[in-house]
Amino acid sequence: MLFGDVVLPANTPGLVGIAKLAAESEVLESKRVVQYFEIQSKSLLNRTRPGMPFEWSLNPYRGCEFGCQYCYARYTHEFMELRESVEFEDKIYAKSGIAEILRRELKRMDGRGGIAIGTATDPYQPAERRFKRTQAALEVFAEQSGFGLSITTKSNLVTRDIPLLREIAKRNSVSVNITITTLDAGLARLLEPRAPRPELRLKAVRAIADAGIPVGVFPNPIMPLITDQEARLDRLAKAARDHGATYFGGGVLFLMPCSRKVFFPFVEKHFPHLLRRYQERYERDAYLKGPYREIMRERIFGIREKYGLKAGPPPREIPIPEEPQGWLFSTRIV
Ligand code: SF4
């Protein structure tokens, strides 16, 4: 395993669990500064904590090349003894054995519960073009019935899988959440350096809507004084509606310690006049307190009303299989 510039052998003392698996991973490809590894996974579906809008999450990769400045998922590299603040976007782990593991886990799944793909990594990041781990998971869902699936992504690569999504939708429910924090391409490039341009994401919304798959746009995370202005959100919601989205999310930025390490220097460099306010608001708590959240909730609510958008995908009746497996819709975003 590579660790910075140093190769850590798989038998490095003290490595256990996911860190040990990471150390044993085979390099799939190395290009520029990004390296791709194959990682063995024992399981794919993870139970989420109570209160989440879905019961299970599924992430075909670890790490995410898009490298968003606000990304909260960097902590997932901590478990692998990697420097989460930089290596999260440079060392991408593709999970192996997706189809077999998923088939086995779906067979055992009890009760009802929605499955969200892309909660800690983007399932359509550049690695997916080559390694097709998300596609492998969708092929399994296309064999199933009665499940509720949501996919969250910033990438127009999701349109490659439209035929599969249509197949899945015949016997399951499936919806796609496209994250667009801003329509301003320059600002998006700063915030999400390697993610597709906003206009490409909007085109993906149109293609998915035209295919009859429920699709929504999430401006998450809404960043105070950077993307939260009413006019910006209004334009985004209108564009979403005009491209066939039927719902529009909305969640305010939260900054875990691992995210602060990247986001504060980013603010200092590009929005120095905002640094002190961000520090005051986020230094002691990952979540904003006070009236701001309520103001934003009302702002998003008003904009949704104006454009006839819902908060989440429409509930849809799907046949319950003999061994009931449930469905639920996710409004969660990465
Ligand atoms: S796309 Fe999502 S998972 Fe990837 S870096 Fe951005 S916020 Fe993180």
Side-chain angles (χ1 to χ4, degrees):
M1 174 191 115
L2 288 167
F3 188 88
D5 295 321
V6 183
V7 177
L8 276 191
N11 60 357
T12 301
L15 292 183
V16 293
I18 189 71
K20 187 164 187 302
L21 285 175
E24 291 166 354
S25 303
E26 267 179 50
V27 177
L28 286 175
E29 188 195 10
S30 185
K31 71 160 189 179
R32 291 179 299 119
V33 292
V34 181
Q35 290 186 301
Y36 301 105
F37 299 82
E38 176 127 72
I39 189 163
Q40 303 291 323
S41 275
K42 292 201 179 85
S43 65
L44 278 172
L45 292 171
N46 288 307
R47 265 249 183 237
T48 57
R49 22 174 237 282
M52 300 285 277
F54 44 84
E55 276 68 31
W56 302 91
S57 65
L58 194 169
N59 290 290
Y61 298 91
R62 271 181 173 263
C64 183
E65 199 173 333
F66 286 159
C68 305
Q69 308 289 355
Y70 48 76
C71 180
Y72 74 86
R74 294 176 190 277
Y75 72 92
T76 54
H77 267 40
E78 279 172 18
F79 305 131
M80 298 194 290
E81 304 287 333
L82 296 172
R83 289 174 298 150
E84 79 282 352
S85 56
V86 284
E87 296 189 324
F88 178 76
E89 59 220 52
D90 291 345
K91 300 202 185 316
I92 309 300
Y93 292 81
K95 296 183 182 173
S96 65
I98 295 261
E100 305 89 88
I101 298 170
L102 189 56
R103 268 192 209 104
R104 194 178 64 226
E105 291 189 323
L106 291 178
K107 210 179 273 182
R108 283 206 309 254
M109 248 179 87
D110 59 336
R112 294 164 184 275
I115 300 169
I117 298 183
T119 56
T121 179
D122 196 304
Y124 288 99
Q125 61 176 294
E128 174 63 11
R129 271 184 212 285
R130 290 278 307 281
F131 306 120
K132 299 185 176 169
R133 304 301 154 97
T134 300
Q135 191 175 64
L138 294 184
E139 281 165 358
V140 172
F141 282 107
E143 303 162 356
Q144 312 287 324
S145 54
F147 285 96
L149 205 60
S150 69
I151 299 170
T152 298
T153 182
K154 288 188 172 87
S155 175
N156 52 333
L157 181 57
V158 62
T159 57
R160 178 200 66 188
D161 287 340
I162 283 176
L164 260 178
L165 296 175
R166 294 179 74 154
E167 193 56 35
I168 293 168
K170 287 180 185 166
R171 292 172 297 280
N172 306 271
S173 76
V174 61
S175 56
V176 178
N177 310 318
I178 301 286
T179 306
I180 307 177
T181 51
T182 174
L183 290 179
D184 178 335
L187 180 56
R189 183 59 64 224
L190 286 181
L191 291 166
E192 302 145 356
R194 286 174 289 282
R197 296 192 306 278
E199 98 213 36
L200 295 176
R201 299 184 221 173
L202 279 175
K203 281 188 184 157
V205 172
R206 166 52 65 205
I208 295 163
D210 287 350
I213 308 290
V215 57
V217 166
F218 282 2
N220 302 359
I222 297 173
M223 286 158 268
L225 303 170
I226 298 177
T227 62
D228 67 346
Q229 298 84 353
E230 183 148 11
R232 275 186 192 271
L233 291 167
D234 186 287
R235 273 199 303 127
L236 179 53
K238 180 176 183 309
R241 193 272 320 265
D242 291 349
H243 285 77
T246 55
Y247 56 97
F248 189 71
V252 173
L253 175 74
F254 67 96
L255 285 177
M256 306 301 279
C258 65
S259 321
R260 285 203 293 264
K261 277 189 239 168
V262 174
F263 199 72
F264 280 1
F266 165 78
V267 173
E268 185 173 20
K269 183 168 177 198
H270 296 285
F271 301 92
H273 58 292
L274 298 180
L275 181 64
R276 190 179 51 79
R277 286 157 102 168
Y278 266 90
Q279 285 172 333
E280 282 167 6
R281 286 168 197 189
Y282 283 106
E283 210 139 53
R284 277 187 297 279
D285 201 332
Y287 295 88
L288 274 189
K289 297 272 185 318
Y292 181 83
R293 293 172 71 90
E294 194 48 43
I295 292 169
M296 289 315 300
R297 208 189 324 269
E298 280 174 19
R299 185 169 293 173
I300 293 289
F301 183 82
I303 289 172
R304 270 191 209 126
E305 290 277 293
K306 181 173 173 187
Y307 294 111
L309 292 159
K310 305 280 184 219
R316 190 179 133 218
E317 292 296 322
I318 49 178
I320 300 175
E322 275 177 29
E323 296 272 329
Q325 293 152 333
W327 61 90
L328 192 81
F329 295 98
S330 138
T331 54
R332 179 76 182 172
I333 199 78
V334 174

